[in-house]
Amino acid sequence: MTIMWQGHKFHEHIGSVGSQDAAQWLGEQMKALLPDDVDRCRVGIYVATTDAAVDVSVSFWKAAINEGVDFVNPRDFPWTLASAIAAHAARKVGIRGPCITLVGGSEVAIAVLSHGIHDLQAGIIDLALVAGVDPSSADLEPRECPAAVIALALDRKPCIASVESCTETIEMDYSPHAAETLLRACQAVESCKDIVIGTPYEGKYLVCSKC
């Protein structure tokens, strides 16, 4: 079954930002992609990330160890969870459907794409917002934060690309960062090119531009 690519937002680097700023960016982009007439109870958010919440977790627990648990800011604790970015975006946009976060490298980008497509085909949702975001952390490798979000549906038109599973043999382009695979797909559609993305474990998808 072909999935319709409704639109996307992406940035090769939104800056050397932490989880809270990355969540803010993601919520704003999802809001821009959300059609006015969609039932927000039937929209799902599927986020792939590599280092989400690491920046807050490390500083939070350092403070707890060095200063004592009574002196850490309790408002920071929710941001120590990897799912905080997706949860913030869901609240910002008012989405009440599935909200899933997977942590890993390039393979989790394909996994969240698969989850979104499955829920569309199962009739659980009418729109899937599939995203990848890799916030930076001063305690790990400092880098710019890549981010991408794609809106997918079954039969909502017009669309700018289509997505379908494929068995084509390709040379896998592994990345340690979750956002890179979705970012490359967005760049291909933006350039009116077709692309195959996937891993041996999570399957492969052909993204066909409608340009």
Side-chain angles (χ1 to χ4, degrees):
M1 187 181 297
T2 301
I3 301 297
M4 303 299 180
W5 180 303
Q6 301 295 299
H8 58 259
K9 299 286 185 180
F10 71 93
H11 206 302
E12 293 182 20
H13 51 82
I14 59 176
S16 297
V17 301
S19 295
Q20 296 184 37
D21 288 334
Q24 183 72 16
W25 183 92
L26 190 62
E28 291 170 356
Q29 307 315 309
M30 287 184 171
K31 185 175 182 180
L33 289 171
L34 201 63
D36 292 335
D37 62 341
V38 73
D39 180 353
R40 299 191 182 200
C41 291
R42 292 186 56 79
V43 177
I45 291 179
Y46 308 84
V47 175
T49 185
T50 304
D51 296 327
V54 170
D55 54 321
V56 183
S57 293
V58 172
S59 61
F60 181 89
W61 293 112
K62 271 185 178 179
I65 292 170
N66 295 332
E67 302 170 23
V69 294
D70 293 336
F71 296 97
V72 295
N73 187 347
R75 293 182 180 179
D76 288 341
F77 182 74
W79 289 99
T80 66
L81 306 176
S83 58
I85 289 180
H88 174 87
R91 291 196 308 272
K92 184 176 183 65
V93 188
I95 291 172
R96 299 178 178 276
C99 186
I100 294 174
T101 299
L102 297 180
V103 178
S106 56
E107 72 282 356
V108 298
I110 303 302
V112 293
L113 181 62
S114 297
H115 276 292
I117 289 174
H118 172 271
D119 287 355
L120 284 168
Q121 293 176 333
I124 297 170
I125 56 173
D126 297 323
L127 189 75
L129 295 172
V130 178
V133 60
D134 288 321
S136 180
S137 170
D139 295 287
L140 296 175
E141 171 195 0
R143 65 173 188 276
E144 301 291 337
C145 175
V149 56
I150 304 163
L152 303 173
L154 272 182
D155 55 7
R156 181 179 285 268
K157 296 181 179 179
C159 66
I160 62 174
S162 63
V163 182
E164 56 187 72
S165 60
C166 72
T167 57
E168 183 176 337
T169 301
I170 61 171
E171 182 177 346
M172 299 300 175
D173 182 17
Y174 292 108
S175 168
H177 304 307
E180 290 294 335
T181 300
L182 297 178
L183 185 66
R184 288 191 297 107
C186 290
Q187 290 170 329
V189 171
E190 195 83 358
S191 301
C192 300
K193 297 177 180 178
D194 298 347
I195 187 173
V196 176
I197 56 175
T199 73
Y201 310 105
E202 302 296 341
K204 295 183 284 290
Y205 292 94
L206 172 62
V207 179
C208 295
S209 171
K210 297 293 186 181
C211 294

